[in-house]
Amino acid sequence: HPGVSQVALRIRPMSAAELAEGAWPVAHRLDEQVVVLRDPVAEPDAVLHASRSQQKSYIFDVAFDATATQDTVYRATTQSLVAVVTSGSNATVLAYGPTGCGKTYTMLGTDGEPGLCARTLAELFQAIGDASGDAEYEVSMSYLEIYNEMIRDLLNPSLGCLPLREDAGGTVQVTGITRLPATSADEVSRRALMGQRAEGVQRAPRCASRLPQVMQLLARGNRQRTQEPTAANRGSSRSHAVLQVTVCRRQRGGGLRHGRLFMIDLAGSERAAQTQNRGQRMKEGAHINRSLLALGNCIKALSHRPSGKYINYRDSKLTRLLKDSLGGNSHTVMIAHISPASTAFAESRSTLTYAHRAKSIRTTV
């Protein structure tokens, strides 16, 4: 059967910095699906006279405002993908948006509010544990970043840059990537932490022991990501982080199915004028935007293509890696993130346009 595409929009709360510089909210959630963006150039009080050019509505599969909890976002967007992957299909979750708009919070969360990655893995292992005894499952996990079109293993950064190759079956794989086999979320973390100590890396601080085991693993990998301060975000991620979970189901009496789940925290889209980047930061931004443009072009082609039209996945490492997880029978969820602030209007408008285009993806087997 063809896959399913879902696009959600999440509006983060106004930040203290935005309030301090006098910004006001221009993005609002009207209902469960509709978001309105108002041009801040227009008079703030002239709501009754707002023209079409001053205010525009965008419709998504689901929309969240600042009051939405992590659990609410998970149940509305990602929870259904567990059954998709355990049944042998591919699924992809993409966190997209400008830098500093909450993508990493949605994907990883905090100690008290775990993000989509930890919630999905916990439910995946729970589903496998509750499955009937006529099937055996093997689960493996890898965590990588794509920085300046180079792939790096976040679980073992000492491996250096890794190549991307297509195997005989047409599946794109990262050669040499660390894959942690596991039967439970705790087992994944135990293996990773054992490897961490073997490599001579210091153990996580004592406060991290309060985190769920999966959160420790993801937090450790995320600390290895390439991050640099910009004017828009002091801890801006300069790379795409890709968590890949592979589920192999062997049916007793024969039958083998593979399902792959990609959970991706994309680097923030950015304008040099907003981030005030120069030198190396500007080069990074160019690579980020080029990679996101390649993803957008694939999305556009999938949205409008007649059956059999060629999709150019080879324009970036990100789209090559996601070749089997954007089309075909894959289920794709994009969660776009924006700031409601008037000072972020240009970024919010381009993000809403990009995400609205993704809503038109039509996959064919």
Side-chain angles (χ1 to χ4, degrees):
H1 300 288
V4 175
S5 173
Q6 180 187 21
V7 179
L9 191 283
R10 190 175 194 181
I11 305 173
R12 70 153 167 78
M14 291 270 287
S15 69
E18 289 167 340
L19 293 171
E21 62 186 7
W24 66 92
V26 296
H28 304 275
R29 173 183 178 268
L30 286 189
D31 59 32
E32 293 182 353
Q33 292 184 290
V34 180
V35 171
V36 171
L37 183 68
R38 179 172 171 75
D39 191 337
V41 174
E43 291 294 327
D45 298 326
V47 177
L48 295 178
H49 301 93
S51 67
R52 287 186 179 181
S53 62
Q54 296 167 343
Q55 181 171 298
K56 185 171 182 179
S57 298
Y58 299 84
I59 301 175
F60 298 97
D61 294 298
V62 60
F64 308 101
D65 59 15
T67 64
T69 65
Q70 296 279 69
D71 188 61
T72 299
V73 175
Y74 169 70
R75 292 182 183 279
T77 61
T78 314
Q79 187 176 37
S80 62
L81 299 183
V82 172
V84 171
V85 176
T86 54
S87 68
S89 294
N90 292 342
T92 301
V93 182
L94 297 155
Y96 174 80
T99 184
C101 284
K103 299 182 298 298
T104 301
Y105 174 74
T106 294
M107 298 304 284
L108 294 185
T110 61
D111 188 350
E113 284 289 329
L116 301 186
C117 292
R119 292 173 187 270
T120 305
L121 285 172
E123 188 144 340
L124 173 66
F125 289 118
Q126 182 66 47
I128 290 173
D130 294 342
S132 60
D134 62 344
E136 294 180 354
Y137 291 89
E138 292 179 5
V139 181
S140 63
M141 198 173 101
S142 62
Y143 198 23
L144 61 88
E145 75 168 355
I146 303 175
Y147 169 70
N148 285 354
E149 287 299 289
M150 295 181 292
I151 296 175
R152 199 167 66 103
D153 190 339
L154 289 176
L155 298 180
N156 188 2
S158 62
L159 294 175
C161 297
L162 302 176
L164 197 60
R165 295 201 174 100
E166 196 165 321
D167 64 20
T171 301
V172 177
Q173 301 279 5
V174 179
T175 304
I177 192 79
T178 302
R179 290 186 174 83
L180 299 176
T183 55
S184 70
D186 288 349
E187 176 69 6
V188 169
S189 294
R190 185 184 69 80
R191 288 175 182 272
L193 293 172
M194 285 176 63
Q196 178 182 2
R197 290 195 287 273
E199 294 160 19
V201 181
Q202 290 184 350
R203 296 187 62 175
R206 184 179 298 275
C207 62
S209 63
R210 296 197 302 268
L211 293 171
Q213 290 292 315
V214 168
M215 286 290 288
Q216 289 188 45
L217 172 63
L218 297 178
R220 182 171 73 88
N222 195 60
R223 285 194 297 271
Q224 304 287 351
R225 284 183 75 180
T226 304
Q227 297 181 341
E228 296 290 347
T230 70
N233 183 8
R234 285 186 299 175
S236 176
S237 297
R238 315 303 292 161
S239 66
H240 309 304
V242 182
L243 173 67
Q244 180 181 333
V245 183
T246 302
V247 179
C248 178
R249 186 179 77 172
R250 282 190 176 84
Q251 207 74 22
R252 292 208 175 132
L256 179 65
R257 290 192 176 187
H258 287 271
R260 290 203 295 173
L261 172 65
F262 288 94
M263 304 198 74
I264 304 167
D265 180 8
L266 293 168
S269 58
E270 57 185 46
R271 293 184 304 140
Q274 178 76 4
T275 57
Q276 299 177 23
N277 286 343
R278 299 293 184 272
Q280 180 63 19
R281 299 290 82 76
M282 181 174 283
K283 291 179 182 178
E284 291 169 355
H287 278 288
I288 291 167
N289 289 340
R290 192 177 303 124
S291 178
L292 293 174
L293 176 63
L295 178 62
N297 287 337
C298 286
I299 287 172
K300 182 178 180 180
L302 287 165
S303 302
H304 302 100
R305 68 166 176 170
S307 179
K309 181 181 176 182
Y310 175 70
I311 309 296
N312 195 0
Y313 291 109
R314 302 184 70 88
D315 278 355
S316 76
K317 294 281 180 67
L318 178 66
T319 50
R320 278 194 69 193
L321 189 62
L322 296 179
K323 177 183 175 183
D324 299 324
S325 299
L326 287 175
N329 66 348
S330 173
H331 293 235
T332 304
V333 175
M334 174 183 284
I335 305 173
H337 298 72
I338 62 171
S339 162
S342 54
T343 51
F345 170 75
E347 286 75 19
S348 297
R349 181 174 56 185
S350 62
T351 299
L352 289 166
T353 302
Y354 188 105
H356 193 262
R357 179 192 294 169
K359 192 172 178 294
S360 304
I361 287 181
R362 296 293 179 267
T363 56
T364 55
V365 177

